[in-house]
């Protein structure tokens, strides 16, 4: 399967969808009876979905790709149209991506409509249900084990960027507080392309590759970070305020020679106010952020170039190489030379 065939693949009716369609009544997803039920303080019955049982059910229905996914921390499938899910919670992170049409999800008693291109991340333990869908509503579900979401995705996205670190932390806090977060990504062609690539690779047993799937997931989450930053920035601009993410982005782009007063002038802030704003928003001082950005870039150059230590020091904004060595050792407990040796691939003999 290639990317251009994904829409046709999703649009085809499954046997269950044909059954649901022909029955002419709303149908609940048929694998719910595999799961335990608990009762909320409001007296509602809630199914407790687990990743392992979902995976077993999926493998039973898709034996042609079972050997590739039996140990995978990811599970991807199309939600059956003409059906709904009961109230449920789960022990995994779930991404709901509306490929076409629109879908209504009831989350903690609140009904939310997701339109084509919208994506919703649902945390573990949040009570929700997908309401009845029609023929034109194509919903892609991506289930992730908790450890995959935290360690594999977010840590890699935030590893070398102060703005990515901040947005990842913001998303994590929003996820923790609200248990879900919605991204409006209708205008993101890279995300749509990545979803197509992800589905094409996942369901094609001859092209399945865990590395390629992880790469597509990195692209998807990178686009979500961009979407989150853009939306927060627009929200605050409407109230004549600047989003701290825009400030951090400017600092990251000009870290080599910008000063606090330069940043204050760019955003029409008083320098003292800007200093407090940065500290209260990130927990770090302006100087600490500059140091972190410079050292992140120095690490990338040490790992991926043959430049001399002195050249790297100057390139990232340290004119005093002794000071560079001091700050680098404080951050990593290694000298730049030791760091480079540690991250230099060994040559095959």
């Amino acid at each position: 399967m290639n990317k251009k065939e994904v829409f046709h693949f999703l649009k085809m009716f499954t046997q269950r969808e044909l059954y649901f369609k022909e029955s002419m009544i709303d149908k609940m997803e048929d694998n719910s009876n595999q799961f335990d039920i608990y009762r909320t303080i409001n007296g509602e019955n809630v199914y407790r979905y687990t990743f392992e049982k979902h995976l077993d059910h999926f493998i039973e229905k898709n034996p042609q790709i079972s050997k590739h996914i039996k140990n995978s921390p990811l599970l991807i499938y199309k939600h059956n149209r003409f059906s709904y899910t009961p109230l449920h919670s789960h022990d995994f992170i779930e991404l709901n991506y509306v490929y076409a049409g629109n879908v209504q999800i009831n989350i903690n008693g609140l009904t939310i409509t997701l339109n084509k291109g919208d994506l919703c991340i649902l945390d573990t333990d949040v009570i929700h249900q997908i309401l009845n869908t029609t023929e034109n509503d194509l919903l892609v579900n991506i289930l992730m084990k908790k450890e995959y979401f935290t360690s594999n995705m977010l840590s890699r996205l935030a590893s070398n960027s102060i703005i990515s670190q901040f947005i990842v932390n913001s998303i994590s806090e929003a996820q923790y507080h609200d248990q879900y977060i919605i991204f409006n990504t209708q205008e993101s062609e890279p995300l749509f392309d990545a979803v197509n690539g992800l589905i094409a690779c996942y369901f094609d047993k001859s092209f399945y590759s865990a590395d390629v799937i992880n790469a597509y997931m990195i692209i998807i989450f990178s686009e979500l970070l961009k979407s989150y930053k853009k939306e927060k920035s627009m929200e605050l601009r409407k109230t004549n305020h600047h989003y701290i993410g825009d400030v951090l982005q400017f600092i990251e782009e000009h870290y080599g020679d910008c000063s606090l007063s330069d940043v204050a002038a760019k955003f029409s802030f008083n320098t003292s106010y800007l200093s407090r704003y940065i500290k209260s928003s990130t927990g770090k001082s302006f100087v600490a952020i500059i140091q972190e950005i410079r050292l992140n870039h120095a690490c990338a150059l040490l790992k991926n170039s043959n430049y001399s230590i002195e050249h790297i020091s100057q390139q990232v904004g340290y004119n005093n190489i002794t000071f560079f060595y001091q700050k680098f050792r404080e951050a990593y407990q290694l000298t730049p030379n030791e760091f480079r040796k540690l991250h230099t691939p060994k040559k095959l003999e």
Side-chain angles (χ1 to χ4, degrees), residues 192-347:
F192 182 70
D193 184 70
V195 170
N196 277 315
L198 179 69
I199 295 170
C201 181
Y202 192 86
F203 287 95
D204 192 328
K205 63 180 180 179
S206 61
F207 288 103
Y208 182 95
S209 166
D211 289 338
V212 174
I213 286 172
N214 286 338
Y216 278 125
M217 290 300 296
I218 289 290
I219 295 171
I220 288 170
F221 276 102
S222 295
E223 287 302 306
L224 295 183
L225 295 190
K226 286 168 59 178
S227 171
Y228 185 86
K229 177 182 177 297
K230 180 180 179 181
E231 187 168 341
K232 288 297 180 182
S233 180
M234 290 176 63
E235 285 178 5
L236 286 175
R237 284 176 184 173
K238 290 178 182 178
T239 60
N240 293 320
H241 289 82
H242 287 291
Y243 173 49
I244 185 62
D246 293 331
V247 176
L248 295 176
Q249 185 75 50
F250 180 82
I251 295 172
E252 183 137 15
E253 291 171 354
H254 301 86
Y255 72 93
D257 57 4
C258 75
S259 64
L260 183 64
S261 58
D262 292 332
V263 182
K266 167 67 179 178
F267 293 94
S268 302
F269 283 146
N270 174 277
T271 53
S272 297
Y273 171 79
L274 176 61
S275 180
R276 293 193 301 272
Y277 182 43
I278 290 173
K279 181 70 173 180
S280 63
S281 300
T282 68
K284 302 174 184 177
S285 68
F286 173 78
V287 171
I289 287 173
I290 289 289
Q291 299 282 12
E292 186 173 340
I293 295 172
R294 288 177 176 176
L295 293 175
N296 281 342
H297 283 269
C299 287
L301 290 170
L302 288 166
K303 289 191 287 187
N304 301 297
S305 79
N306 294 318
Y307 293 142
S308 68
I309 305 300
E310 185 174 3
H311 178 83
I312 292 174
S313 173
Q314 293 175 348
Q315 189 163 332
V316 300
Y318 292 103
N319 294 320
N320 185 325
I321 193 168
T322 302
F323 186 67
F324 170 61
Y325 267 86
Q326 176 189 336
K327 290 300 176 183
F328 197 95
R329 183 184 283 277
E330 286 177 2
Y332 305 108
Q333 291 75 54
L334 296 169
T335 68
N337 277 314
E338 290 169 341
F339 182 90
R340 170 172 271 171
K341 289 179 181 178
L342 186 64
H343 292 86
T344 299
K346 295 181 179 180
K347 294 181 180 180

Side-chain angles (χ1 to χ4, degrees), residues 50-301:
T50 66
F51 185 89
E52 298 305 328
K53 285 188 178 181
H54 264 299
L55 183 61
D56 290 342
H57 180 77
F58 184 82
I59 288 174
E60 180 183 341
K61 299 293 184 183
N62 299 272
Q64 74 279 9
I65 61 171
S66 61
K67 70 176 182 178
H68 298 298
I69 65 171
K70 61 182 179 180
N71 296 316
S72 173
L74 276 178
L75 180 59
I76 303 170
Y77 63 90
K78 179 184 73 170
H79 173 77
N80 281 326
R81 288 166 289 179
F82 313 106
S83 69
Y84 64 93
T85 62
L87 282 175
H88 65 278
S89 61
H90 42 60
D91 65 354
F92 48 83
I93 303 291
E94 181 178 24
L95 272 67
N96 293 310
Y97 179 74
V98 183
Y99 194 95
N102 57 73
V103 175
Q104 289 188 320
I105 303 180
N106 185 300
I107 305 175
N108 291 330
L110 177 67
T111 300
I112 297 168
T113 299
L114 302 179
N115 300 308
K116 178 182 177 181
D118 286 345
L119 186 148
C120 177
I121 298 181
L122 288 158
D123 205 347
T124 57
D125 300 320
V126 57
I127 298 174
H128 64 286
Q129 69 175 143
I130 297 172
L131 304 183
N132 196 51
T133 50
T134 68
E135 179 175 344
N136 296 320
D137 303 327
L138 299 177
L139 180 66
V140 177
N141 300 112
I142 304 174
L143 280 51
M144 300 178 292
K145 288 186 176 180
K146 185 88 172 181
E147 58 268 25
Y148 179 85
F149 179 70
T150 54
S151 62
N152 200 330
M153 287 296 105
L154 297 188
S155 61
R156 289 174 67 180
L157 286 169
S159 59
N160 287 311
S161 169
I162 196 76
I163 180 63
S164 294
Q165 288 175 18
F166 176 76
I167 297 174
V168 163
N169 290 338
S170 298
I171 289 175
S172 297
E173 289 173 8
Q175 183 93 345
Y176 177 79
H177 182 267
D178 298 323
Q179 293 190 295
Y180 71 96
I181 187 166
I182 295 171
F183 300 87
N184 304 116
T185 57
Q186 297 95 330
E187 298 179 1
S188 176
E189 291 185 11
L191 187 140
F192 182 70
D193 184 70
V195 170
N196 277 315
L198 179 69
I199 295 170
C201 181
Y202 192 86
F203 287 95
D204 192 328
K205 63 180 180 179
S206 61
F207 288 103
Y208 182 95
S209 166
D211 289 338
V212 174
I213 286 172
N214 286 338
Y216 278 125
M217 290 300 296
I218 289 290
I219 295 171
I220 288 170
F221 276 102
S222 295
E223 287 302 306
L224 295 183
L225 295 190
K226 286 168 59 178
S227 171
Y228 185 86
K229 177 182 177 297
K230 180 180 179 181
E231 187 168 341
K232 288 297 180 182
S233 180
M234 290 176 63
E235 285 178 5
L236 286 175
R237 284 176 184 173
K238 290 178 182 178
T239 60
N240 293 320
H241 289 82
H242 287 291
Y243 173 49
I244 185 62
D246 293 331
V247 176
L248 295 176
Q249 185 75 50
F250 180 82
I251 295 172
E252 183 137 15
E253 291 171 354
H254 301 86
Y255 72 93
D257 57 4
C258 75
S259 64
L260 183 64
S261 58
D262 292 332
V263 182
K266 167 67 179 178
F267 293 94
S268 302
F269 283 146
N270 174 277
T271 53
S272 297
Y273 171 79
L274 176 61
S275 180
R276 293 193 301 272
Y277 182 43
I278 290 173
K279 181 70 173 180
S280 63
S281 300
T282 68
K284 302 174 184 177
S285 68
F286 173 78
V287 171
I289 287 173
I290 289 289
Q291 299 282 12
E292 186 173 340
I293 295 172
R294 288 177 176 176
L295 293 175
N296 281 342
H297 283 269
C299 287
L301 290 170

